Amino acid sequence: MGEVDEAFIQAVEHRPKLTITEAEGIPLINLSISIETLVEEIGDACKNWGFFQVINHGVPFETREKLELASRKFFAQATEEKLKVRRDEVNPLGYYDTELTKNVRDWKEVFDLAVKNPTVIPTSPEAGDNELKELVNRWPEYPSELRVAYEEYAKEMEKLAYKLLELISLSLGLPANRLSGFFNNHTSFFRLNHYPSCPIPNLALGVGRHKDGGALTILAQDDVGGLQVKRKTDGEWVQVRPTPHAYIVNVGDIIQVWSNDRYESVEHRVMVNSEKERFSMPFFLNPDHNVMVEPLEELITEQNPAKYRAYNWGKFFATRKRSNFKKLGVENIQISHFKITEESSY
């Protein structure tokens, strides 16, 4: 990363404490237990934490390990080699090392890949612009095995994501396949993360505080750890201890809206380490670009009216992507911007 730039330094109120509270309570869910128990446990976890870990998930360890090793090889290269597959505002897939979260630079470098190649999204975030563009994965020359390792792993993660989506749907009292129609030509993507060791772990963050805008995030992290979740009960930042071979799952904004706030997307961030580098691989499950996101009609009643106006996922996604490259001077688009207040409902 070179010398420490002021762009990395968090505002005082968002700087991490170096005394870490570990999240003992984040549920660890065994996906091989009975469906009834599983649905109950998933529902409780989504409601009380917005996060949970899964084991016995069916993803072969060898498939995950191949991609982890290829990721480490890619990031170990000289910067000029990585920049050959650099992403930009036209195609936000590829390598990047100057990403912003909440207008502060993250202490990390990333490599982004779409699950569907190509992936179709709106050309611009502007409401009147109906043009679409295709995003195509950029593949580095080295390591040559990265593409095959990624494509094998992506298939396994799609399977797991759809299984979790069905369980969440059942936990809301809906049919298992209620949400699957939103993902026919989904805009999901993967991120390979590398967090180098950092000389100022009390001032910078690997990723600043944020909520995930999509439906679900499924994270593979190494044994270094660093993911912190904002506990709903007291607002304390607590660290998720790595569980070998498990995946960490969190509810995104879209499920919060679909569930009409029954399940909440929770703030999280990533600490950096002064001695060790860290690697992680999140999978972001996102719907089709033309999906209008709004509370599901089955969950709306007279006593529990819709809490959000409908918004277009593709436009939301395009706006979020733009903010990764430049300071906006304002907070990025959030689902709170579509919240129906008592005043606006008249």
Side-chain angles (χ1 to χ4, degrees), residues 69-267:
L69 291 172
S71 171
R72 286 172 183 264
K73 284 184 183 179
F74 172 78
F75 286 121
Q77 296 180 98
T79 302
E80 56 265 29
E81 288 301 313
K82 292 179 281 194
L83 288 174
K84 289 177 181 176
V85 286
R86 189 178 192 271
R87 71 185 212 190
D88 52 43
E89 287 191 63
V90 176
N91 184 1
L93 298 175
Y95 174 76
Y96 204 60
D97 64 350
T98 54
E99 186 161 271
L100 303 169
T101 301
K102 305 284 187 190
N103 290 322
V104 181
R105 189 171 165 189
D106 296 329
W107 192 274
K108 69 179 180 192
E109 52 182 348
V110 306
F111 190 79
D112 283 351
L113 294 158
V115 176
K116 287 191 175 291
N117 192 29
T119 287
V120 178
I121 69 163
T123 300
S124 85
E126 306 309 323
D129 187 349
N130 296 320
E131 276 194 55
L132 301 173
K133 65 180 177 183
E134 291 187 338
L135 304 185
V136 180
N137 284 331
R138 292 183 166 107
W139 298 107
E141 287 182 24
Y142 177 87
S144 58
E145 67 269 24
L146 177 65
R147 181 170 186 166
V148 171
Y150 168 71
E151 288 173 349
E152 282 179 14
Y153 184 73
K155 284 178 191 167
E156 294 294 337
M157 294 303 288
E158 274 189 287
K159 280 189 231 169
L160 176 57
Y162 291 141
K163 180 176 184 176
L164 292 169
L165 206 58
E166 288 185 354
L167 291 167
I168 287 170
S169 189
L170 289 168
S171 75
L172 289 166
L174 303 170
N177 65 352
R178 175 62 177 91
L179 306 176
S180 57
F182 296 121
F183 296 88
N184 296 321
N185 292 296
H186 59 84
T187 56
S188 307
F189 72 100
F190 265 94
R191 170 162 286 179
L192 306 177
N193 282 319
H194 174 224
Y195 302 94
S197 59
C198 176
I200 51 164
N202 58 323
L203 300 177
L205 287 166
V207 183
R209 74 200 193 285
H210 68 285
K211 298 182 179 186
D212 291 344
L216 275 183
T217 304
I218 306 174
L219 174 73
Q221 66 169 342
D222 65 13
D223 60 359
V224 174
L227 174 67
Q228 293 192 323
V229 177
K230 199 170 193 179
R231 191 161 51 196
K232 287 177 71 172
T233 52
D234 59 5
E236 181 74 22
W237 285 105
V238 292
Q239 189 142 314
V240 183
R241 182 188 298 176
T243 300
H245 313 321
Y247 285 100
I248 300 167
V249 182
N250 66 279
V251 167
D253 287 345
I254 287 176
I255 284 181
Q256 178 169 335
V257 174
W258 280 340
S259 73
N260 207 28
D261 280 354
R262 192 186 300 187
Y263 297 160
E264 186 184 346
S265 175
V266 173
E267 264 196 323

Side-chain angles (χ1 to χ4, degrees), residues 34-53:
S34 73
I35 188 76
E36 294 81 6
T37 307
L38 202 45
V39 168
E40 186 180 342
E41 288 189 5
I42 293 268
D44 287 346
C46 289
K47 185 178 176 184
N48 298 324
W49 278 92
F51 268 80
F52 54 93
Q53 297 190 72

Side-chain angles (χ1 to χ4, degrees), residues 3-24:
E3 286 185 21
V4 175
D5 187 320
E6 278 189 14
F8 290 108
I9 297 175
Q10 295 283 329
V12 174
E13 65 271 24
H14 300 304
R15 291 176 189 172
K17 295 178 189 169
L18 295 184
T19 51
I20 291 168
T21 305
E22 287 205 327
E24 300 293 338

